[in-house]
Structures are given as C-alpha cells and as structure tokens.
Amino acid sequence: MSNEQVINLAYALHPTSEQTAKLSSHEGAVRYAYNYALHHTLTNWANVKNGTEAEYINTTAYAMRKKFNTEKDTIAPWWKENSKEAYNTGFANYQAAIKNYYAKRTGLPRYKTKHLDNTEGITFTTGTRRLEDDRRHFTLPVIGTVRLHERATKLAYLQRHGGRITNVTVKYSRCRWFLTV
C-alpha cells in the first residue's frame, strides 16, 4: 500500500510574449490532435455504414497516435514546434470523449474550436518539469522557464519533504495562463 497523496496546487503564470505564443501553439496542437482522431473515427464510421469500408478502426488514443505519427510529416509539417505531450493530451482527450460516448454519458463528440477558454489545457508528464530555486519560475518542456505570478512556497515545501512533480497541466482560463501541479 502506498502512502502517496495527490495535492493540486495552481499558480498563475506571467509568460513573455514569446512564451505566450508557444503556449497558444501547444493549445492548438492539443486541438489538432483531438480533431484529427475524431475526424478519422467519424469518417470510418460513416464509411462502414455506407459499405465503402469493411470494418471499424481501433479508436484508442494509442492507435490514433500511431496513425498520426505515420502521417505527421505530410499533414502537419509544423509538429516539431510543440512538445509531444501536447499531441498526447489531445489524443487522451479524444479517448475520454469516445469512452463517454460509448458509455452513453454524452452524445457524439464534437470538433474542438479555437476558443482558448474552452480547453482542458496541456498536460506534461515527461520532460523537464521543475520549480526553480528562486520559487518564482517554473521550467516546462519546449516552453522554457516561465515566471510565476506569485512565489510557489507550498510547492517548494512539499518538494523539500519528499514530494514529486508527476504531471503539470497548463491551461488558459479567465484571460490568464495557469499552471496546476
């Protein structure tokens, strides 16, 4: 049995204009991956119904990510500008939407639009996720070191006493970027 406890701490970010552009690009990558997977699923379902395809495709996030990786250089030549975590987040969001649809909790999933306040954010589970020693900056993969709006003393305290950062979510909400650890 594990003694691990999950504690969520949220901090407002104060990114530079270049970092804001990178964060927005990552949000776009999340949306692109979600819409990519949803498009292939809905197209396949329609083709099977019409008789132009024989069987249904695998709708897991893993299968969609694998398909995307084979095509990404031609359909999204800009994919290298973003962390792989952005695409993984989009595929995970897609899989959650499909699972909810299969379980009859929601209707058919819809395509994501470009409304930043209407996103789940980007979840970073690998790469550099570190609170800097000054407690005022946090380092993220590809984005770099972003200034926090306030000191992260609680997070620093938890880290000093054995706490680990396992994942970080960055989300745009109420006209501001937030980081949740």
Side-chain angles (χ1 to χ4, degrees), residues 22-135:
K22 286 181 180 180
L23 288 167
S24 296
S25 178
H26 276 69
E27 283 283 356
V30 171
R31 185 176 58 253
Y32 185 84
Y34 177 92
N35 288 341
Y36 171 87
L38 184 60
H39 171 74
H40 282 286
T41 300
L42 296 179
T43 302
N44 173 257
W45 290 355
N47 289 343
V48 169
K49 187 176 181 180
N50 295 337
T52 56
E53 285 187 35
E55 58 186 45
Y56 292 105
I57 60 172
N58 187 343
T59 59
T60 64
Y62 175 78
M64 290 299 165
R65 185 170 47 241
K66 191 174 177 182
K67 182 171 179 49
F68 175 74
N69 284 336
T70 61
E71 302 174 347
K72 64 186 175 188
D73 288 325
T74 55
I75 63 169
W78 41 262
W79 71 269
K80 292 179 186 175
E81 296 172 10
N82 301 305
S83 170
K84 70 178 181 71
E85 295 293 333
Y87 303 103
N88 290 344
T89 301
F91 292 124
N93 294 347
Y94 153 80
Q95 185 169 358
I98 290 294
K99 269 187 178 177
N100 287 334
Y101 173 69
Y102 286 153
K104 298 187 187 320
R105 282 178 241 156
T106 61
L108 194 63
R110 295 182 183 174
Y111 290 102
K112 299 284 184 185
T113 60
K114 198 175 180 175
H115 298 287
L116 283 177
D117 270 337
N118 193 24
T119 63
E120 290 89 13
I122 313 132
T123 302
F124 295 96
T125 58
T126 61
T128 305
R129 304 168 321 273
R130 167 181 71 236
L131 177 66
E132 298 300 330
D133 292 337
D134 65 356
R135 300 180 191 158

